[in-house]
Amino acid sequence: PHGYEGQGPEHSSARLERYLQACAQQNIQVCHPSLPAQFFHLVRRQMLRPFRLPLVILSPKSGLRHPQAVSSFDDFSKGSFEEVLDDPIAKKSAEALILTSGKMYYELLAERTSRELDVPLLRLEQFYPFPEEKLKTVLGKYKKLRELRWCQEEPQNMGGWNFVKENISRILDQRVGLKYVGRPPQASTSGGYTHVHESEQRMIAHNALGAL
C-alpha cells in the first residue's frame, strides 16, 4: 500500500482508518509489521492457523527498504509474530513513552539518537484484533509510567488514532495520561509537496520526543 512518502494525496495513504472502521466481531486482521522477520512470521502464522481470516498488511515501500528495517537469520528461524514490540534498550523506569506503528518508528528512533534521549519507543504491530493483553503486559513493565504518547504520520482524523485511543484507554491505569502526536485534522491525506512533507515529519518526531 501507499505510505507517507511525500507524494500527492493519492499516493499518501492506504486509508488505515477505513479498514479499522470495518473491524468488528473478529472479522479481519489488520497488521503493520516493521521488520522483515515480523512480516515473515505474520504470513507464516496466516498459513499455519487451522482457520482462514482475511489479513490486511500495511507496509509502505520506504519501510521495506529502510536500512534499519533488518532482521537476523535467528529472527527468522526462531520466535513468532509479536503483536507489540517493546523497546529492548530503554529503561523501565521511564515516566513517559511513545507508542507508534510502521516506519514512523524509524523516524522517531533517528530523532531520539540525534538528541541522545532515552525515551522508550514501543511498536504496535497489530491493530486488530487489538492485542489488549499483550500491550497491557508490556506497559506493566514501566512501573513509573505517567504519560503514553501515540505518534502517527496521518492527520488526527485519519490513521489509527481514533481506533487505538478507545482500546488503549481501557487498559491504562488512571494515573497515566494518553496524548496524541501527529498532524492536525485535515481534509486531504497529504499536502503533496515533498519539502513540506519532510518538514512536517521532522516536526512530528520532534514534538513526540519533546519535554520528555
Side-chain angles (χ1 to χ4, degrees), residues 82-97:
E82 298 289 341
E83 291 93 350
V84 179
L85 291 179
D86 194 2
D87 193 322
I89 63 172
K91 295 179 180 178
K92 302 306 179 186
S93 59
E95 295 187 3
L97 59 78

Side-chain angles (χ1 to χ4, degrees), residues 36-74:
Q38 280 282 89
F39 189 99
F40 168 77
H41 286 298
L42 176 59
V43 176
R44 184 173 183 272
R45 183 184 73 172
Q46 179 76 355
M47 297 306 298
L48 291 177
R49 278 177 166 175
F51 58 89
R52 286 287 176 266
L53 196 64
L55 172 61
V56 178
I57 299 179
L58 297 143
S59 292
K61 297 173 185 176
S62 66
L64 293 175
R65 60 173 177 258
H66 196 285
Q68 288 184 291
V70 295
S71 300
S72 67
F73 286 114
D74 283 344

Side-chain angles (χ1 to χ4, degrees), residues 9-204:
E10 75 282 2
H11 280 275
S12 294
S13 182
R15 306 317 298 251
L16 167 64
E17 66 277 3
R18 295 184 180 178
Y19 289 107
L20 295 179
Q21 288 171 350
C23 291
Q25 300 176 308
Q26 306 293 311
N27 60 334
I28 60 175
Q29 304 165 89
V30 180
C31 300
H32 199 170
S34 60
L35 289 167
Q38 280 282 89
F39 189 99
F40 168 77
H41 286 298
L42 176 59
V43 176
R44 184 173 183 272
R45 183 184 73 172
Q46 179 76 355
M47 297 306 298
L48 291 177
R49 278 177 166 175
F51 58 89
R52 286 287 176 266
L53 196 64
L55 172 61
V56 178
I57 299 179
L58 297 143
S59 292
K61 297 173 185 176
S62 66
L64 293 175
R65 60 173 177 258
H66 196 285
Q68 288 184 291
V70 295
S71 300
S72 67
F73 286 114
D74 283 344
D75 291 334
F76 284 93
S77 61
K78 301 175 183 177
S80 59
F81 176 69
E82 298 289 341
E83 291 93 350
V84 179
L85 291 179
D86 194 2
D87 193 322
I89 63 172
K91 295 179 180 178
K92 302 306 179 186
S93 59
E95 295 187 3
L97 59 78
I98 297 171
L99 178 63
T100 189
S101 185
K103 71 181 182 67
M104 191 66 218
Y105 165 78
Y106 297 104
E107 298 183 40
L108 290 166
L109 183 62
E111 178 74 10
R112 183 179 74 173
T113 301
S114 67
R115 292 167 61 180
E116 299 182 345
L117 299 174
D118 185 23
V119 182
L121 299 176
L122 277 59
R123 283 173 275 182
L124 184 65
E125 301 277 289
Q126 177 173 296
F127 282 89
Y128 190 82
F130 189 77
E132 185 172 312
E133 290 303 319
K134 176 65 175 180
L135 182 58
K136 189 175 182 179
T137 298
V138 173
L139 294 179
K141 299 176 182 178
Y142 297 86
K143 303 298 183 183
K144 297 183 179 180
L145 185 63
R146 291 293 180 270
E147 183 176 272
L148 189 157
R149 297 181 178 183
W150 169 260
C151 182
Q152 67 178 35
E153 302 176 289
E154 300 92 342
Q156 189 172 1
N157 56 320
M158 304 177 197
W161 168 241
N162 287 320
F163 178 83
V164 300
K165 69 179 180 182
E166 302 296 333
N167 288 283
I168 294 174
S169 296
R170 287 201 303 267
I171 64 174
L172 276 186
D173 189 290
Q174 291 184 348
R175 72 176 189 275
V176 181
L178 177 60
K179 181 180 179 180
Y180 166 83
V181 183
R183 284 174 169 80
Q186 297 177 182
S188 173
T189 58
S190 170
Y193 295 99
T194 302
H195 67 282
V196 173
H197 168 83
E198 292 176 350
S199 176
E200 290 176 343
Q201 291 291 108
R202 289 192 296 270
M203 185 60 67
I204 291 172

